[in-house]
Amino acid sequence: MKQHHKSYDTLRIRFTYCYRVFLWLAVILSPPSLLAQGGNKTAAEYWETYHRTDDDSTQVKLLSQLVTAYIRINPDSALLLAETAYERATTMGNEHLQAHAYVSLGKAYKRKRKVLDALSNFDQGLAIFQEQKDEEGIHRVYLERASVYMASGNPEAAIEDLNKHLTYTLQTDNDLKRAGTYHNLGKAYRQLNEPYQALENYLLARNLKDSLANVGHPEMTSREQFSTYQNLAAFYQELEQFNKARETLRQGLEFLPQEETRTYIIGLYTLGGLEERDSNYVEAQQLYQQCLEMAQASKNSVLLPYIYDGLGTVSRMQDQREIASTYYQQAFDMLGDMNNPPVLSNVLNNQARLLLDAGQTRAAKEKAKVAYTTAKASGLQVQYIDGAKLLAEIYQTEGRYQEANFYWQEYIEASETKATEGRKQE
């Protein structure tokens, strides 16, 4: 029976690891300091400039820049700043500043996952920019709106906006923005399950970013350069081209200085995940352990739940069940008040599996139920499938066959949907 679980877990890893990587790419690769768009100033520096000037227009512009500075660490404050910028621009009767405030509002609502509100504000800002024939403003909206479309599962609309922005970068000869647009087109085509277009755009982004880095472009940071290597490697992993993924990640890590601690940890973690997916559990364990030591030394607590979850999984796959249990519990404890349903439901499913294998069906059921409910509410397909399967096995073990049949049906239907999507991607 244990061999059956291990075989199932090996297959499951091929899906669950991707969720962990996607989360890291979406959230953790963002700059750790409070940097605002269009410069390298911190929030404190923008506030200092704000209080030194009495010019209303300048202050409104600074409020919009502060939205970007706050948006990742305090979305509520970012929204309040955007609303203030909009109110002051409206009072002044300055439509140009009002358009920028609409964009700031859109960004704040995007961060709070209010898709319709975000799109509505972007559209209103776009209308003003188009009326004023402000090409820079127009294409700023296209770029921001594309990110909302991708986040809301509409890659076709994102690609349309990104291609408009790409044309603008070619017309203005802006290689830096063109590289970023290729990168985002790669993500959008990947989401659309169009692998050839995704690969083409990722490679264009990588080559152009490498060229900019080689000539010492001041805005081409090692973190920005590495982000495309990271996404390209994740893309290769989805296609199970593990050697290409390894080569891509190692190339990226070669030029990434260890002083970029967060990004370097993510690179090692991704490499560990690749080995985990390829069933090289000892190598994966060593890489995860290196991540853990670096994260603890640099006090990057937000990274720890991911790392503990990975360590728990590779320990469990080597039948180190007590060690795995400890790691999973550490991941669960670290999550605390973090709003992280994918990792939470994954950890709970893993804990439930360990408890079920140990014959502790009641405790396993409690964990599995929370994981199943969390995954269902958050639309997490892989964790939902795992939770349904676990609950079916638990109820079957208890002899409660009606409940078991219900969850087996849930498991079968969700697995078939997942398989259909996989065949489309192939």
Side-chain angles (χ1 to χ4, degrees):
M1 188 59 136
K2 286 183 180 179
Q3 184 61 40
H4 167 72
H5 290 328
K6 182 177 285 191
S7 175
Y8 168 73
D9 284 343
T10 302
L11 293 172
R12 185 174 64 86
I13 281 171
R14 299 187 177 194
F15 299 113
T16 55
Y17 169 68
C18 291
Y19 277 83
R20 298 207 301 267
V21 170
F22 292 158
L23 277 170
W24 283 52
L25 295 178
V27 178
I28 303 174
L29 274 176
S30 59
S33 58
L34 298 181
L35 299 181
Q37 182 177 346
N40 294 318
K41 293 183 179 180
T42 65
E45 290 170 327
Y46 277 114
W47 276 122
E48 184 180 353
T49 305
Y50 178 91
H51 290 300
R52 279 206 315 263
T53 182
D54 293 326
D55 183 72
D56 286 340
S57 295
T58 302
Q59 286 189 341
V60 173
K61 289 177 184 176
L62 287 166
L63 286 172
S64 291
Q65 289 171 317
L66 279 161
V67 170
T68 303
Y70 277 93
I71 206 160
R72 290 196 178 278
I73 61 159
N74 194 331
D76 291 331
S77 294
L79 180 58
L80 181 60
L81 287 164
E83 289 172 342
T84 304
Y86 172 76
E87 289 169 1
R88 289 186 61 178
T90 302
T91 300
M92 293 165 60
N94 189 321
E95 287 193 345
H96 184 72
L97 291 177
Q98 195 176 17
H100 282 287
Y102 275 128
V103 176
S104 295
L105 282 165
K107 291 172 66 174
Y109 280 121
K110 178 182 72 172
R111 181 62 178 168
K112 292 175 73 68
R113 299 181 181 179
K114 295 185 176 181
V115 173
L116 295 179
D117 289 332
L119 290 175
S120 174
N121 280 281
F122 285 143
D123 289 345
Q124 290 180 83
L126 178 62
I128 296 174
F129 285 135
Q130 287 174 332
E131 184 179 340
Q132 297 181 343
K133 299 185 180 350
D134 183 340
E135 290 295 319
E136 185 176 348
I138 290 169
H139 290 280
R140 181 189 173 198
V141 174
Y142 285 148
L143 197 58
E144 293 288 355
R145 195 170 65 175
S147 68
V148 177
Y149 284 138
M150 279 195 285
S152 59
N154 189 356
E156 294 95 337
I159 289 167
E160 183 179 346
D161 274 359
L162 287 169
N163 278 324
K164 292 175 184 176
H165 185 71
L166 180 62
T167 301
Y168 176 68
T169 65
L170 290 166
Q171 291 170 345
T172 56
D173 199 26
N174 192 323
D175 287 341
L176 184 70
K177 289 186 177 180
R178 182 157 58 95
T181 307
Y182 283 139
H183 176 99
N184 288 324
L185 278 167
K187 291 167 61 178
Y189 278 117
R190 179 177 166 191
Q191 188 177 356
L192 194 58
N193 289 329
E194 294 287 352
Y196 294 110
Q197 290 92 330
L199 179 59
E200 178 185 10
N201 281 281
Y202 276 141
L203 292 175
L204 286 167
R206 184 198 64 182
N207 296 341
L208 187 51
K209 286 184 178 183
D210 285 350
S211 297
L212 291 170
N214 289 338
V215 299
H217 193 290
E219 292 184 60
M220 180 46 62
T221 64
S222 56
R223 183 192 298 118
E224 174 64 26
Q225 189 181 4
F226 181 74
S227 66
T228 294
Y229 280 83
Q230 180 91 343
N231 277 273
L232 182 58
F235 171 76
Y236 282 136
Q237 285 182 66
E238 285 183 22
L239 302 180
E240 299 192 1
Q241 296 183 19
F242 297 127
N243 289 333
K244 280 185 174 290
R246 283 189 188 90
E247 180 185 0
T248 301
L249 278 172
R250 293 189 188 282
Q251 286 174 345
L253 286 169
E254 283 177 5
F255 64 73
L256 188 66
Q258 290 200 26
E259 289 75 18
E260 291 280 0
T261 308
R262 289 164 59 95
T263 311
Y264 198 86
I265 292 171
I266 295 165
L268 289 177
Y269 174 90
T270 310
L271 193 56
L274 189 155
E275 302 299 348
E276 177 188 322
R277 264 192 90 186
D278 206 17
S279 303
N280 298 324
Y281 300 123
V282 174
E283 179 71 18
Q285 195 168 31
Q286 291 171 351
L287 288 162
Y288 286 151
Q289 186 62 40
Q290 190 177 350
C291 290
L292 178 61
E293 292 168 2
M294 291 183 69
Q296 289 175 330
S298 58
K299 298 182 180 179
N300 275 306
S301 59
V302 72
L303 315 183
L304 291 175
Y306 298 86
I307 298 169
Y308 284 132
D309 185 37
L311 280 166
T313 297
V314 294
S315 298
R316 180 161 59 86
M317 298 307 293
Q318 297 175 83
D319 288 324
Q320 300 169 355
R321 295 183 176 277
E322 290 186 9
I323 296 174
S325 179
T326 299
Y327 281 133
Y328 285 141
Q329 188 59 45
Q330 286 176 301
F332 181 80
D333 292 341
M334 286 298 304
L335 285 166
D337 295 328
M338 293 184 192
N339 182 22
N340 198 332
V343 177
L344 176 61
S345 54
N346 201 52
V347 169
L348 289 168
N349 275 329
N350 287 327
Q351 288 180 314
R353 172 60 63 192
L354 285 176
L355 290 165
L356 179 60
D357 289 347
Q360 301 179 44
T361 54
R362 183 174 179 180
K365 183 164 59 179
E366 290 177 358
K367 296 279 187 182
K369 278 186 174 180
V370 177
Y372 173 85
T373 303
T374 301
K376 187 173 183 178
S378 303
L380 302 170
Q381 188 180 46
V382 173
Q383 289 89 333
Y384 174 74
I385 291 171
D386 288 347
K389 185 176 189 293
L390 274 165
L391 287 168
E393 292 180 15
I394 291 166
Y395 281 118
Q396 189 165 310
T397 301
E398 292 178 339
R400 297 171 61 178
Y401 298 112
Q402 184 175 353
E403 290 93 336
N405 287 336
F406 171 81
Y407 286 108
W408 278 125
Q409 188 63 36
E410 294 281 295
Y411 166 72
I412 291 168
E413 290 177 0
S415 298
E416 287 176 350
T417 300
K418 179 70 178 174
T420 300
E421 292 174 357
R423 285 193 293 272
K424 286 180 180 179
Q425 185 167 353
E426 288 173 11

